[in-house]
Amino acid sequence: MSDGPGPARAAAAGTPAGEPVLSVALAAMMEEVHAHSGAVYLLRPDEPVLEMAVHAGLPRAFAAPWERLGLGASVPVADAVRERRLVWVGGEEEMAGHYPRIAVVLPYPFALAALPLATAHEVYGAVFVTWPGSHPAELSTEERVRLTAACKRLALRLARAAKERRPLGRERDLLAAPGPEVAATLGSVEAARMVARLPYGLASLDLHGRIGYVSPAAATLLGKAPDELLGALPWVAVPWLNDPTYEDRYRAALLSQQPTSFVALRPPGDWLSFRLYPNLTGLSVRIGRTHPMADVAPAAAPVEAGPSRLVTISQVLNLAGALTEAVGVRDVVRLVWEELAPAVGCRALAIASPRGGRLHLLGHRGYDDPHTVERFEGLPLSERTPGMRALSSGVPAFFESREQLGRLYPEREESPDGFAAWAYLPLIASGRPVGTCVLAYAEPRLFPADERAVLTALGGLIAQALERAMLYDAEHQLAHGLQQALLPHSLASLPGVEAAARYLPATRGMEIGGDFYDLVAARPLTAAVIGDVQGHNVTAAGLMGQLRTAVRAYTAVGQGPHEVMASTNRLLIDLGVELFASCLYLRLDPAAGLAVMARAGHPPPLLRRPDGQVRVLDLAGGPLLGIDASAAYPTTEVALTPGSVLVLYTDGLVESPGVDIEDALAELGARLAELGDLPLETLADELVRRSVPAEARRDDVALLLLRARGD
């Protein structure tokens, strides 16, 4: 049994017709684990979106930015569905670490568990429940078992309902039932007298923040008659309390279930202290006078601001947090679709930008027929369309119905896109238009003034992220093109040697670097080289090209391996770039079955003999290139019998966080022993495929395979 009025005894005013399956299941689940709020999400059948079907324990506005969620969103309930597992967030720090966007909107101490509603064959939605900040940092085994069992039971009910073609939908939210009333009239009178004798004021707020009781002393301190306060929100009824900071304290108290306080200035110079004591039914507020505070004054807020401000601030903060993760233009389009579209209820999205006097489509989502939006690609900016108008004027346009759009732009009727309402948001950054964002809705829709203001503000956030992303993409394209031009387009054909090479860029930063490889068909012997210039930028890529050219030149004039390495070292020092490079150079003599190698701080190559035995070659060598102009680079002869495979690589192939380099080399050797008889191109693909996963690759990977043919 839980203490106090648990969620299972919650009351829903005017529950819709039919059995409230989701509400009852959620309330029972919350009571079993003593959670103080929660919600059930259902997966839409026609799109990858989770919609909140019922919320309990706290006002739905607390979760407003997450009422509709794309399955790709980085939030616990979406993760629970995608990964089919329980997601646990044990507190404020853990939330900030794993889900920073939620922490920005709700920076309060609370714990959360999210679970999928799924059978063995189908996913129907998800559930989350929360506890106050006093909950232990770990979820207990009993809580885990009870939550999992309850979600399985609810999933089976959802499966049965789907089979019987009676899908469940949204139900009325549940808030805690009101507390016990004072039965005796005499007791009520005496309680009122007791409160009146106190030297401070008292007020009671329900879960929505509405004032249900205010003592005469509290009304006097607030400067309002009691009938002006009852049923109102404090930050609406009292102008000088109309500041998001004070509303934030109310949310913090309810979500954390811990007392909070703040100090406010009542004009012209009276300072009042507010202490909020929460429980599952609301808050008790103690109001008293306090000493003046120097240099502190809350920012003024418009008196007209209403209770919807919570939703507005939350949505803006949530999208702002999401867009900080955007790197390229594709990221911006994806994040706007995953974060903004579910929140505002649009069914399609397109983002375009001007380029060379024409419109360039950067990305779109949600269109059943891509041609309906892709036909705008390349249109002159002088064309008369709502998107061009928003782009050129900088003024957003909202069309509440197809008829309204048709009156102003009759040509749109000739190619309908299947939608019924649109918002065209100009994307203005640094005082110039960088694009247009189009939101399309499936049904006719009103755009009240507050919603237009929110969408316009969100357009500004999108514009800033898009400007950064377009700059990044341009720099990346330039740098990537430079690097591709400096690497060999194909490998030279060498007598008696088969070769294959692979290059993979890092997946962090600019995705370029200084890794290089080459084959040089010099006579009478041939040569191979692999190296890695320090850094991941245009300078590293440019220096890589210079070193590769130098190695070819020194090889062509007949220098031996030790001379090529020493000459390249002196060149790097003479260039004065203060960058170092590792390098491995070898002269191949397949007819004699020999390879002569020189090494400058480079990872050792691997040799697979024809019998499948693999060993790491312990080569003599010198320091990294670019350190010591007088450094010597001794050589090592290695037998290269027909069928042998040499594996030359850069450290990106074997280095990853938390993995010992010796273990990584042993694993690479085992893969080479197992797969070494494969065709060389297939072997190269397998070795890089089984290396560091792309999403975790912090360094470039260059791989050069050489197999002695013996012909």
Side-chain angles (χ1 to χ4, degrees), residues 242-254:
N242 195 347
D243 185 286
T245 303
Y246 307 144
E247 186 181 353
D248 175 80
R249 294 296 81 202
Y250 142 78
R251 297 200 306 273
L254 282 183

Side-chain angles (χ1 to χ4, degrees), residues 498-516:
E498 182 186 357
R502 295 292 183 271
Y503 173 79
L504 299 176
T507 53
R508 307 288 181 91
M510 288 294 292
E511 297 185 14
I512 62 168
D515 290 21
F516 67 96

Side-chain angles (χ1 to χ4, degrees), residues 154-450:
L154 182 53
L156 290 174
R157 297 199 68 173
L158 289 167
R160 187 161 56 248
K163 185 177 181 181
E164 296 170 358
R165 298 186 180 279
R166 51 178 187 86
L168 302 177
R170 181 164 176 168
E171 298 176 5
R172 289 293 180 88
D173 291 346
L174 303 178
L175 294 179
E181 300 208 2
V182 180
T185 303
L186 181 59
S188 301
V189 172
E190 186 56 34
R193 289 173 178 168
M194 178 192 72
V195 170
R197 289 192 292 266
L198 295 175
Y200 46 79
L202 294 176
S204 175
L205 307 184
D206 65 12
L207 292 174
H208 291 288
R210 296 184 295 252
I211 300 173
Y213 169 81
V214 60
S215 70
T220 300
L221 288 169
L222 295 174
K224 291 283 185 177
D227 58 355
E228 294 180 275
L229 297 170
L230 292 176
L233 300 169
W235 39 89
V236 174
V238 182
W240 47 270
L241 284 179
N242 195 347
D243 185 286
T245 303
Y246 307 144
E247 186 181 353
D248 175 80
R249 294 296 81 202
Y250 142 78
R251 297 200 306 273
L254 282 183
L255 199 53
S256 68
Q257 288 294 295
Q258 296 175 1
T260 63
S261 60
F262 63 88
V263 175
L265 173 65
R266 188 187 75 178
D270 294 327
W271 288 95
L272 301 181
S273 68
F274 294 77
R275 183 74 171 167
L276 285 62
Y277 300 90
N279 73 0
L280 296 180
T281 64
L283 302 113
S284 297
V285 184
R286 180 184 185 273
I287 308 171
R289 297 183 184 275
T290 189
H291 298 294
M293 298 182 63
D295 302 324
V296 177
V303 176
E304 304 82 26
S308 65
R309 185 177 67 246
L310 173 60
V311 177
T312 302
I313 293 172
S314 299
Q315 289 175 341
V316 171
L317 288 175
N318 193 52
L319 182 62
L323 290 176
T324 61
E325 301 175 9
V327 177
V329 170
R330 289 184 180 180
D331 293 333
V332 173
V333 176
R334 175 181 59 83
L335 287 168
V336 172
W337 174 247
E338 292 177 357
E339 301 294 339
L340 176 61
V344 303
C346 72
R347 296 295 300 274
L349 159 81
I351 297 180
S353 73
R355 181 188 298 174
R358 295 183 177 273
L359 193 70
H360 175 55
L361 191 64
L362 300 177
H364 60 84
R365 297 287 192 280
Y367 290 90
D368 294 332
D369 180 5
H371 175 71
T372 60
V373 62
E374 290 173 356
R375 61 194 171 88
F376 292 103
E377 172 70 28
L379 278 183
L381 297 182
S382 57
E383 286 283 327
R384 188 175 181 275
T385 68
M388 302 293 192
R389 173 66 177 168
L391 182 64
S392 61
S393 68
V395 178
F398 301 92
F399 301 96
E400 299 175 346
S401 67
R402 192 176 289 111
E403 293 73 22
Q404 188 182 69
L405 179 64
R407 284 196 298 270
L408 292 175
Y409 298 92
E411 59 274 12
R412 281 294 305 271
E413 295 295 325
E414 300 172 6
S415 52
D417 56 15
F419 294 103
W422 298 264
Y424 289 84
L425 308 178
L427 305 180
I428 309 297
S430 303
R432 65 181 185 88
V434 296
T436 304
C437 178
V438 184
L439 307 177
Y441 299 81
E443 303 294 335
R445 179 187 186 89
L446 294 176
F447 292 97
D450 56 348

Side-chain angles (χ1 to χ4, degrees), residues 45-46 51 86 122 248 298 313 317 379 413 455 485 551 590 638 699:
D46 55 343
E51 285 190 338
L86 186 152
E122 192 69 42
D248 175 80
I313 293 172
L317 288 175
L379 278 183
E413 295 295 325
L455 291 175
V551 168
V638 176
D699 201 358

Side-chain angles (χ1 to χ4, degrees), residues 192 634 681:
E681 293 291 339

Side-chain angles (χ1 to χ4, degrees), residues 378-708:
L379 278 183
L381 297 182
S382 57
E383 286 283 327
R384 188 175 181 275
T385 68
M388 302 293 192
R389 173 66 177 168
L391 182 64
S392 61
S393 68
V395 178
F398 301 92
F399 301 96
E400 299 175 346
S401 67
R402 192 176 289 111
E403 293 73 22
Q404 188 182 69
L405 179 64
R407 284 196 298 270
L408 292 175
Y409 298 92
E411 59 274 12
R412 281 294 305 271
E413 295 295 325
E414 300 172 6
S415 52
D417 56 15
F419 294 103
W422 298 264
Y424 289 84
L425 308 178
L427 305 180
I428 309 297
S430 303
R432 65 181 185 88
V434 296
T436 304
C437 178
V438 184
L439 307 177
Y441 299 81
E443 303 294 335
R445 179 187 186 89
L446 294 176
F447 292 97
D450 56 348
E451 184 172 353
R452 296 186 182 210
V454 171
L455 291 175
T456 302
L458 294 175
L461 294 176
I462 298 168
Q464 294 175 27
L466 185 62
E467 184 182 43
R468 293 193 304 269
M470 292 170 73
L471 178 61
Y472 172 88
D473 283 350
E475 291 176 345
H476 175 266
Q477 185 176 4
L478 174 63
H480 191 65
L482 170 64
Q483 185 172 47
Q484 291 301 311
L486 294 175
L487 286 171
H489 297 291
S490 61
L491 295 176
S493 178
L494 304 181
V497 176
E498 182 186 357
R502 295 292 183 271
Y503 173 79
L504 299 176
T507 53
R508 307 288 181 91
M510 288 294 292
E511 297 185 14
I512 62 168
D515 290 21
F516 67 96
Y517 59 85
D518 203 0
L519 292 182
V520 185
R523 295 181 182 275
L525 303 177
T526 57
V529 64
I530 192 166
D532 183 0
V533 178
Q534 173 190 17
H536 296 88
N537 49 40
V538 175
T539 302
L543 186 59
M544 171 267 285
Q546 291 176 291
L547 293 188
R548 176 172 165 250
T549 302
V551 168
R552 294 183 71 91
Y554 296 138
T555 301
V557 299
Q559 289 189 358
H562 66 288
E563 295 173 305
V564 170
M565 202 69 86
S567 298
T568 307
N569 175 51
R570 289 191 295 271
L571 171 67
L572 183 55
I573 292 174
D574 291 343
L575 290 174
V577 292
E578 298 184 353
L579 290 178
F580 308 133
S582 69
C583 190
L584 176 64
Y585 179 89
L586 57 152
R587 190 65 60 85
L588 298 165
D589 189 352
L594 285 178
V596 182
M597 306 186 185
R599 185 163 71 103
H602 199 80
L606 274 64
L607 174 66
R608 183 185 189 273
R609 296 193 181 97
D611 61 2
Q613 295 295 314
V614 175
R615 69 187 180 99
V616 179
L617 299 179
D618 185 16
L619 305 178
L624 292 168
L625 303 178
I627 293 179
D628 181 3
S630 62
Y633 297 92
T635 59
T636 304
E637 283 192 359
V638 176
L640 196 62
T641 56
S644 299
V645 178
L646 268 174
V647 178
L648 316 180
Y649 57 92
T650 56
D651 51 14
L653 185 71
V654 292
E655 287 188 355
S656 59
V659 178
D660 184 79
I661 187 65
E662 298 297 332
D663 294 338
L665 278 176
E667 185 178 345
L668 178 61
R671 291 199 299 271
L672 180 60
E674 175 191 357
L675 306 171
D677 291 326
L678 292 172
L680 213 58
E681 293 291 339
T682 305
L683 176 60
D685 288 335
E686 287 296 317
L687 292 182
V688 297
R689 184 177 66 83
R690 301 191 189 188
S691 65
V692 182
E695 63 273 10
R697 195 164 57 242
R698 298 174 179 271
D699 201 358
D700 303 7
V701 173
L703 175 69
L704 180 61
L705 304 182
L706 303 171
R707 176 179 280 155

